[in-house]
Amino acid sequence: MTIPNALTVDVEDYFHVAALALNIRRDSWTSRESRVVGNTQRLLAIFEQFDVCGTFFVLGWVAERYPQLVRDIAARGHEVACHGYSHRLVYEQSPKEFHEETLRSKNLLEDIIGSAVFGYRAASYSIVRESLWALDILVELGFVYDSSIFPVHHDRYGIPDAERVPHRMATPNGKSIVEWPLATARILGFRFPVAGGGYFRLLPYWLSCWGLASINRNDRQPFIFYLHPWEIDPAQPRVSASWLSQFRHYTNLGKCEERLRRLLGEFQFGTARDALKQLGLLSGQCPKEC
Ligand SMILES: [Zn+2]
């Protein structure tokens, strides 16, 4: 039996992204045009066309304002998971702040869907070497798996020598949690990020596809792929920012939906939780309903 790859969506609006954070004040969020509901509904419709379920890491700020969206996601058979509350980077928070906002978001999501949330993904993959303490807080709060570690070099995130495949890892305080690092392909001894998002928009489609296929073929492992609802929305309001931030955020927004459809036709996908269960990584560690 082939283990499906994990299809994941980080449910947030275009004004939440870390790349534009210097140009968008937090206190302006509520006055901006929100497009997260419409864009997420479009993703839900596309997934339905391909008869595929995925994992939606929902930002607490979004869940609080649009609880019906979270109910819709769950009602269509997708996994609801947690993307924190405020989209502040983990390494810019104190452990106490992280504990409070993560618990707030988990409680919100669980109250909305009426069942437990098992998965967590940090804003902008901000569990790095200096913020590994966050994993102990995730265990304490009842999370079963995390997907926040990007095993690459990047200016804002990354643990370049972290393990590349799903595994159970030790936390700094001697506990353990399942970690599913964002997808990287190995080319000539180098790691190449092919996990989705900006990489999926910036790289030629064939290269993403080849890299992802190599994880299934050479590593004999499923990969985890991510996208944001705003990445299929070329009509979103434009924000002025640095050249690099604009390049990362706006390049190929108009091509993303078509590429996603191709990808969904070429690979097998499912939820992160189901894939981890099939890998045997959740057995014995999971509450009954997981
Ligand atoms: Zn995010």
Side-chain angles (χ1 to χ4, degrees):
M1 183 178 55
T2 316
I3 296 176
N5 303 297
L7 177 63
T8 72
V9 179
D10 294 353
V11 182
E12 65 195 42
D13 231 317
Y14 62 95
F15 49 77
H16 293 129
V17 302
L20 299 177
L22 283 176
N23 306 87
I24 300 179
R25 287 167 47 140
R26 279 177 180 272
D27 59 10
S28 74
W29 285 4
T30 49
S31 60
R32 290 181 186 266
E33 179 194 353
S34 176
R35 299 173 71 89
V36 68
V37 173
N39 290 333
T40 306
Q41 293 287 4
R42 281 176 56 207
L43 283 175
L44 288 170
I46 295 167
F47 292 0
E48 196 162 303
Q49 282 172 26
F50 284 86
D51 197 22
V52 64
C53 281
T55 297
F56 288 68
F57 293 93
V58 184
L59 192 66
W61 192 95
V62 171
E64 198 166 59
R65 281 158 185 81
Y66 308 109
Q68 189 55 46
L69 178 65
V70 185
R71 278 182 218 112
D72 287 350
I73 292 168
R76 293 190 191 210
H78 302 288
E79 177 188 6
V80 171
C82 180
H83 194 37
Y85 181 84
S86 66
H87 217 262
R88 284 179 62 204
L89 304 180
V90 175
Y91 53 77
E92 291 180 351
Q93 300 183 49
S94 69
K96 184 170 177 287
E97 288 168 329
F98 178 75
H99 184 284
E100 279 169 9
E101 80 137 69
T102 310
L103 178 61
R104 179 182 181 188
S105 186
K106 186 170 190 273
N107 284 344
L108 253 170
L109 294 166
E110 291 180 342
D111 286 349
I112 293 169
I113 62 172
S115 60
V117 161
F118 300 105
Y120 176 83
R121 175 172 290 152
S124 201
Y125 317 106
S126 53
I127 297 189
V128 296
R129 210 175 292 287
E130 296 71 34
S131 52
L132 284 172
W133 49 261
L135 296 176
D136 276 300
I137 294 173
L138 294 179
V139 174
E140 193 185 319
L141 295 178
F143 287 98
V144 172
Y145 74 91
D146 172 66
S147 178
S148 304
I149 295 179
F150 217 140
V152 292
H153 287 279
H154 187 277
D155 55 357
R156 200 167 46 242
Y157 53 73
I159 302 181
D161 58 351
E163 219 173 298
R164 296 172 51 243
V165 299
H167 61 287
R168 178 164 285 281
M169 72 178 278
T171 63
N173 279 351
K175 303 247 175 20
S176 75
I177 191 165
V178 172
E179 175 64 37
W180 195 339
L182 283 305
T184 55
R186 267 192 304 208
I187 304 173
L188 303 172
F190 290 99
R191 293 178 176 196
F192 209 77
V194 287
Y199 303 106
F200 188 59
R201 287 181 290 111
L202 295 166
L203 298 174
Y205 177 80
W206 64 265
L207 189 53
S208 291
C209 191
W210 179 83
L212 291 168
S214 79
I215 298 171
N216 287 166
R217 194 182 49 239
N218 302 340
D219 298 314
R220 297 184 181 279
Q221 291 284 337
F223 59 79
I224 192 160
F225 181 84
Y226 73 91
L227 213 60
H228 301 92
W230 54 264
E231 290 185 282
I232 57 160
D233 181 14
Q236 66 190 265
R238 299 273 156 158
V239 176
S240 59
S242 69
W243 176 87
L244 181 61
S245 296
Q246 298 224 28
F247 178 70
R248 282 176 174 164
H249 190 88
Y250 295 116
T251 302
N252 287 339
L253 290 177
K255 291 184 180 168
C256 194
E257 179 176 341
E258 184 242 315
R259 288 184 180 185
L260 172 65
R261 287 175 182 277
R262 280 181 72 181
L263 193 79
L264 294 178
E266 289 180 34
F267 292 90
Q268 255 198 301
F269 284 106
T271 67
R273 194 171 78 199
D274 283 348
L276 290 170
K277 227 192 289 190
Q278 288 189 48
L279 285 167
L281 283 167
L282 300 187
S283 52
Q285 305 288 332
C286 220
K288 206 166 57 227
E289 45 186 318
C290 178

